[in-house]
Amino acid sequence: MALKIKTIAVTGLKTIGILDLETPDLRRGEVLIKVHAAALCTLEQRIFQGEVKMPLPCTGGHEVSGEIALLGEGVNPKKWAIGNRVAVRLLYNCGECYYCRTGRTNMCERALKKPVREGLLIGPGGLCDYIIVETKDLFLIPESVSYEEAALTEPLACCVHSINRGNLQFGETVVIIGGGIMGQNHVMLAKRKGCRVIVSEVDANRRKLARQLGADITFNPLEHEPVEYVRSLTDGRGAECVFNTTSIPSVVPQAIEMAGKGGSVIQYSSMHPDVPTPISPQKLHGNEIILTGSISPNAEDFFVANRLINYGIIDMKPLIAKAFPFEEAQKAFEASIVPGTFRVIIKN
Ligand SMILES: [Zn+2]
Ligand SMILES: [Zn+2]
């Protein structure tokens, strides 16, 4: 039943093409999804700009929502129906490696080795007009949630994972360094965990948005010495938890200094380039600082993010910068790499 589909692909440096492909047949337990919204994440932007090398053409798109267009054999008709509106989890995990077996699917050894189906392109593959997925990767969304919002389930899930690693408690002080989309997600989530939220961000518009989304205090680290400022707000102790959502390596030692005794520091963002930076082992020892990182959501985090959006607990609308039609994918990619832009979405 091969169906002709269109895919948005990176075909060269800063060049997007729309290619015609044919889907393979549905396997047992799979459904065909008509994609309605796909967001352009940092990964897609880095491939577009040649910072992440992939064999070209390749198709990005791992932040996706759409509706069920066809049910494969063996799909439970009591649970799933044509027309169901869904957020789609496109992150791959093998299910067989040590990390998958021990419930840490986000650290799967084969996470970046998703098998490529016959006729399709390498890459997460959500930037197509139709995609094939297993029902375990579908999360229903109600009419009250737009496809654009639902496409942002994955970035929210990333931050759910990060916030859980901080083990936040009521009344604690949390510092979030950076007010980009991921920093703003951290703000909303930390507030809902009952914390006092301080945001360090140089851009005035982002500080304003952070306050609108619930941050208690925002400051410009170029105007206030960040460590002194955070200590001044915490009786000289430092915060219980510090999240670095920037990809500036020199911020890491600063984050450790901002944490009080027994505090945690979570390195959320990836580093490109990854410049080694000196930290004080004595500080970790003497203050019992927990220093850790957070990478990708696991399947449970995706489920939680879907509920937070569906129940209206977290509103993703302020984080959507602009939407472009499928045919204007080149323009969408160009818009997505303008510094300071939140999520750009391709609609279909
Ligand atoms: Zn993403
Ligand atoms: Zn695995």
Side-chain angles (χ1 to χ4, degrees):
M1 66 115 240
L3 173 82
K4 290 193 187 315
I5 61 162
K6 289 189 183 307
T7 184
I8 293 163
V10 179
T11 54
L13 185 63
K14 294 194 178 174
T15 310
I16 297 297
I18 297 182
L19 310 181
D20 292 311
L21 301 173
E22 283 190 359
T23 60
D25 291 336
L26 290 182
R27 292 178 189 150
R28 207 177 157 73
E30 288 180 335
V31 298
L32 184 72
I33 299 290
K34 169 145 181 59
V35 176
H36 284 300
L40 301 179
C41 181
T42 320
L43 174 68
E44 285 77 28
Q45 294 163 25
R46 286 188 177 137
I47 297 171
F48 179 65
Q49 294 177 285
E51 290 168 12
V52 170
K53 302 284 176 220
M54 293 277 279
L56 301 182
C58 90
T59 177
H62 62 277
E63 300 180 359
V64 165
S65 64
E67 71 179 293
I68 297 182
L70 200 61
L71 300 179
E73 258 182 64
V75 172
N76 182 353
K78 290 204 180 98
K79 185 155 172 60
W80 304 103
I82 291 174
N84 278 166
R85 306 169 81 250
V86 289
V88 185
R89 177 177 180 264
L90 283 177
L91 299 178
Y92 175 71
N93 67 282
C94 74
E96 296 174 346
C97 74
Y98 171 77
Y99 300 100
C100 285
R101 295 283 195 202
T102 52
R104 292 168 289 172
T105 54
N106 65 320
M107 285 192 280
C108 172
E109 289 171 356
R110 300 189 59 77
L112 299 176
K113 303 227 162 53
K114 185 177 186 170
V116 183
R117 293 281 284 274
E118 189 190 337
L120 300 183
L121 298 182
I122 191 167
L127 285 171
C128 296
D129 55 356
Y130 287 89
I131 55 174
I132 293 173
V133 284
E134 293 176 52
T135 50
K136 73 172 174 52
D137 292 323
L138 299 181
F139 298 80
L140 289 169
I141 54 168
E143 289 292 335
S144 57
V145 172
S146 69
Y147 286 118
E148 288 92 329
E149 293 165 71
L152 300 189
T153 306
E154 192 269 348
L156 182 63
C158 280
C159 299
V160 166
H161 188 76
S162 174
I163 289 284
N164 283 341
R165 293 193 55 75
N167 191 25
L168 306 182
Q169 305 294 320
F170 290 123
E172 289 188 340
T173 295
V174 170
V175 177
I176 294 157
I177 304 173
I181 177 170
M182 296 307 189
Q184 304 288 353
N185 274 335
H186 277 77
V187 169
M188 290 190 278
L189 291 168
K191 275 313 284 183
R192 279 148 189 81
K193 285 277 187 178
C195 296
R196 176 170 73 141
V197 175
I198 302 172
V199 175
S200 170
E201 164 61 51
V202 291
D203 183 87
N205 287 327
R206 289 178 168 197
R207 290 199 301 273
K208 189 172 162 206
L209 179 62
R211 287 193 298 276
Q212 285 167 359
L213 298 183
D216 298 276
I217 299 160
T218 63
F219 71 96
N220 181 349
L222 302 178
E223 285 172 9
H224 297 274
E225 202 294 305
V227 175
E228 290 309 314
Y229 193 66
V230 168
R231 285 187 186 154
S232 75
L233 295 167
T234 51
D235 298 325
R237 286 191 310 273
E240 276 89 357
C241 194
V242 182
F243 295 89
N244 179 21
T245 71
T246 76
S247 43
I248 307 166
S250 61
V251 164
V252 176
Q254 192 185 80
I256 294 170
E257 292 291 325
M258 279 180 188
K261 287 186 178 182
S264 300
V265 175
I266 288 98
Q267 176 54 39
Y268 172 78
S269 46
S270 61
M271 293 284 181
H272 298 270
D274 179 26
V275 182
T277 183
I279 58 166
S280 161
Q282 178 59 25
K283 201 93 199 175
L284 302 184
H285 162 78
N287 288 358
E288 293 197 357
I289 302 287
I290 297 167
L291 174 62
T292 185
S294 177
I295 176 153
S296 301
N298 54 34
E300 291 80 3
D301 301 317
F302 206 100
F303 177 73
V304 170
N306 172 244
R307 290 188 136 189
L308 291 172
I309 293 173
N310 284 0
Y311 294 166
I313 297 169
I314 298 281
D315 179 8
M316 300 305 285
K317 286 192 284 293
L319 304 182
I320 299 171
K322 218 170 171 189
F324 289 84
F326 197 84
E327 300 70 33
E328 293 179 18
Q330 176 78 35
K331 275 191 199 162
F333 269 81
E334 285 164 9
S336 76
I337 59 173
V338 174
T341 306
F342 285 151
R343 275 297 186 272
V344 168
I345 293 193
I346 295 180
K347 286 180 68 171
N348 194 34

